[in-house]
Amino acid sequence: MAKHVVVTPERWLPKGETEVTAGQHVPMVVWGGIVGEEARVKVVHKGQNQARAIFEETDTPSPHRMQIPCDRYDPCGGCPMLHTDPEMQEMAHRSRVREALDRAGLDDVGLGAFTRSPRMFDFRHVVKLGWGWSFDGKRSKVGAWGRRDRRIVPIPKCNVAAPVLRRVMTSLAHHSIEMGLVPYDPISDEGVMRGAVIRASSKTGEVLVTLVAGRIPKKLDELAERIAQDNGEVVGVWVHVNMDEGNGLFHADEDGSIGMKALTGRDWIEEELDGIGIRVGPGDFYQTNPAMALPLYERTLNQLAPGPEDAVVDLYSGVGGLTLLAARRCGLAIGVEAVEGAVRRARESARRNRLNAEFIAGDVQEELPAIAKRLSHPLVIVDPARRGLHPDVREGLVEMRPRKLAYISCNASSMARDLAVFREAGAIVHDPELFDMFPHTAHVECLTIVEFEVEEARRAPRRKLLRKG
Ligand SMILES: C[S@@+](CC[C@H](N)C(=O)[O-])C[C@H]1O[C@@H](n2cnc3c(N)ncnc32)[C@H](O)[C@@H]1O
């Protein structure tokens, strides 16, 4: 096997690597390559179906190649596009979304505008950390799960994270190691620390820390106090217990709730969306790159264009940011979300902002039929997790025939699959627009508008669109 070969990658792959097929027995996946750039690569693995290689050098660098401003680029792997400029990142996103649409049979659907992130560094307002052992098993390590084998890679200088998160990460790693809080092993049920989610508000700079542990020894109270004392921005430290095997950070109870116990402080930080205060709690979802949230939400609502007599249904509403922005423009906004804490905070945010929004705690799959009975052809937003829509939800939406549907997604493949079903049912699928929510990664946020045909006879005057509940 030749260890070093010269290749020219042909396409971007879903995880941010590139692929070479020309002249290869099996497709070669190149880490650090750029499509169209001839480069020398080192082959690190040759299997029956795939070879893997790492970029080494090139005499003819792509004009889009950038100096990598991170010494953990390769072992961490969290920013696979860090070696490319924003223009190439846009091209790569476009090619991946294009492929997803083509694969789903939507080859006649085009691609709309790409909205860049106002910041390419320091933009992340949430980081997830893991605990693990060093290679020799003698020391605890705290950091990201590495790209090759999920071994922990410390990332104290991570320059995509907001500066306050870098400080809190470092402090948390330092104190947990000094206090002998070792990694938890779900197989032997030994140890304590599993992970942490640290979230900062882009409005106030306040930080909420959620520890994930296999058990809750007394020492965790001291750890929480130490972190809060070291970092004035930390307003709350909470702990979630997860003894499950596997890679999932949170364990959902039978009723779907995610248990949290206070170690110190309060259970929320506040974000702001065009003057609306939104509270985010320890187990809630909120956008990774808050500076992109408002452009995405405003574009969504401008496309749906609700009037004061319209109803907007926001499915998978999280802490309700988009629902509350919609409530300012329409007659009634309804959010549906599975995480109860997020729904509680969304209701509180509605009250505090004096907005007419209703939040339903539950599974979209189960709640949709009742909403469809209650509202005639409402405007609907869906923003599901990466797996996309459950088949029952797709079916329910086809039956409901929203006047317009806005599909927000961070996974073009599941989105394209769902859009193909809507199209099959006669809907018009407009060109997805792209939002750079996660710079330097292979992920991009898409917004697609879908229009269902609504028979005029069934399309009651707008005033009567709201049926009694
Ligand atoms: C991608 S997030 C979007 C949140 C929100 N739209 C926002 O912009 O912040 C998806 C949300 O869907 C929720 N979720 C996932 N599966 C669900 C389900 N089956 N029913 C209701 N909510 C669900 C998650 O808890 C999460 O808050």
Side-chain angles (χ1 to χ4, degrees):
M1 172 174 83
K3 274 271 184 211
H4 304 274
V5 288
V6 173
V7 295
T8 305
E10 297 139 18
R11 66 184 272 257
W12 289 102
L13 291 172
K15 290 187 180 164
E17 295 141 322
T18 50
E19 185 185 61
V20 185
T21 53
Q24 307 297 317
H25 292 301
V26 290
M28 179 186 283
V29 174
V30 180
W31 170 259
I34 294 182
V35 168
E37 179 196 72
E38 187 183 80
R40 196 171 81 129
V41 300
K42 181 178 174 190
V43 181
V44 292
H45 166 80
K46 200 148 194 184
Q48 280 195 327
N49 303 317
Q50 191 187 71
R52 300 192 70 83
I54 296 181
F55 168 87
E56 282 191 323
E57 60 179 13
T58 175
D59 293 334
T60 49
S62 159
H64 302 290
R65 184 169 282 283
M66 303 289 283
Q67 197 71 19
I68 298 171
C70 175
D71 59 359
R72 305 289 155 94
Y73 164 71
D74 180 14
C76 166
C79 297
M81 303 291 296
L82 203 51
H83 63 306
T84 61
D85 66 5
E87 212 179 328
M88 178 51 82
Q89 294 190 19
E90 175 180 343
M91 285 192 261
H93 286 313
R94 284 183 177 279
S95 75
R96 279 186 286 258
V97 178
R98 178 73 273 148
E99 279 190 21
L101 292 170
D102 291 351
R103 262 199 315 275
L106 299 172
D107 37 341
D108 57 330
V109 172
L111 289 179
F114 179 87
T115 303
R116 285 200 182 160
S117 172
R119 284 171 163 230
M120 295 301 278
F121 294 95
D122 299 345
F123 62 84
R124 257 189 172 272
H125 279 68
V126 59
V127 289
K128 291 181 183 166
L129 293 179
W131 269 251
W133 290 104
S134 59
F135 203 72
D136 60 10
K138 291 187 178 154
R139 284 171 300 117
S140 293
K141 290 179 107 178
V142 185
W145 292 270
R147 81 172 182 100
R148 290 186 203 161
D149 50 12
R150 285 185 63 82
R151 278 190 170 275
I152 296 299
V153 179
I155 48 165
K157 294 189 224 153
C158 177
N159 56 15
V160 292
V164 65
L165 291 183
R166 291 200 281 274
R167 291 196 295 276
V168 176
M169 271 198 287
T170 305
S171 157
L172 176 55
H174 165 76
H175 287 299
S176 73
I177 291 172
E178 194 185 72
M179 292 172 67
L181 286 160
V182 297
Y184 177 73
D185 177 355
I187 296 170
S188 63
D189 189 30
E190 283 171 10
V192 179
M193 303 301 292
R194 195 150 188 178
V197 179
I198 314 176
R199 182 181 285 289
S201 160
S202 61
K203 178 195 169 197
T204 63
E206 291 180 341
V207 173
L208 197 55
V209 179
T210 307
L211 304 176
V212 181
R215 53 175 48 80
I216 310 184
K218 272 259 118 313
K219 271 187 179 177
L220 282 192
D221 290 313
E222 186 188 336
L223 176 66
E225 289 305 331
R226 284 194 190 193
I227 303 164
Q229 261 171 24
D230 264 16
N231 306 276
E233 301 92 342
V234 172
V235 293
V237 183
W238 290 67
V239 59
H240 166 77
V241 175
N242 181 2
M243 297 186 292
D244 294 351
E245 289 177 30
N247 296 336
L249 203 49
F250 289 134
H251 160 91
D253 291 336
E254 267 172 28
D255 62 355
S257 61
I258 293 170
M260 291 287 167
K261 181 179 181 294
L263 293 173
T264 185
R266 58 166 139 94
D267 72 347
W268 55 268
I269 50 176
E270 188 163 273
E271 278 292 346
E272 190 196 293
L273 284 167
D274 196 21
I276 301 177
I278 312 281
R279 289 191 173 174
V280 185
D284 305 345
F285 174 92
Y286 190 68
Q287 302 293 347
T288 305
N289 181 358
M292 288 300 283
L294 191 60
L296 170 68
Y297 294 166
E298 295 228 294
R299 181 66 182 156
T300 304
L301 293 173
N302 289 343
Q303 291 286 68
L304 292 182
E309 283 150 6
D310 285 316
V312 174
V313 180
D314 181 16
L315 302 175
Y316 312 93
S317 52
V319 288
L322 186 44
T323 327
L324 295 179
L325 276 175
R328 273 219 295 229
R329 302 192 189 195
C330 68
L332 172 67
I334 300 177
V336 182
E337 165 61 42
V339 173
E340 276 196 25
V343 171
R344 209 171 44 247
R345 277 174 281 278
R347 287 179 182 145
E348 239 171 69
S349 300
R351 231 183 356 262
R352 290 177 41 256
N353 292 283
R354 296 171 190 278
L355 287 165
N356 181 24
E358 179 184 327
F359 288 95
I360 299 171
D363 189 322
V364 167
Q365 204 181 320
E366 283 158 25
E367 303 298 332
L368 189 59
I371 294 173
K373 271 194 197 148
R374 191 175 151 194
L375 301 172
S376 171
H377 309 299
L379 299 167
V380 174
I381 299 163
V382 294
D383 183 4
R386 287 188 64 73
R387 61 184 171 274
L389 300 176
H390 187 279
D392 290 353
V393 175
R394 287 197 298 261
E395 228 172 81
L397 288 167
V398 167
E399 267 176 37
M400 181 193 232
R401 302 193 96 69
R403 223 168 65 244
K404 264 190 191 177
L405 170 78
Y407 194 132
I408 300 175
S409 167
C410 60
N411 181 352
S413 293
S414 57
M415 175 191 76
R417 175 203 67 203
D418 296 340
L419 294 176
V421 173
F422 297 145
R423 170 107 121 222
E424 186 67 26
I428 299 167
V429 174
H430 291 271
D431 300 349
E433 290 181 31
L434 283 59
F435 293 80
D436 197 13
M437 186 67 82
F438 323 96
H440 314 302
T441 74
H443 304 300
V444 69
E445 197 85 346
C446 292
L447 164 66
T448 312
I449 300 298
V450 179
E451 281 185 89
F452 287 88
E453 201 182 324
V454 178
E455 287 168 38
E456 278 310 310
R458 292 179 62 203
R459 189 177 162 169
R462 279 181 159 200
R463 188 167 288 286
K464 290 183 189 155
L465 279 175
L466 307 186
R467 288 186 192 143
K468 286 262 160 16

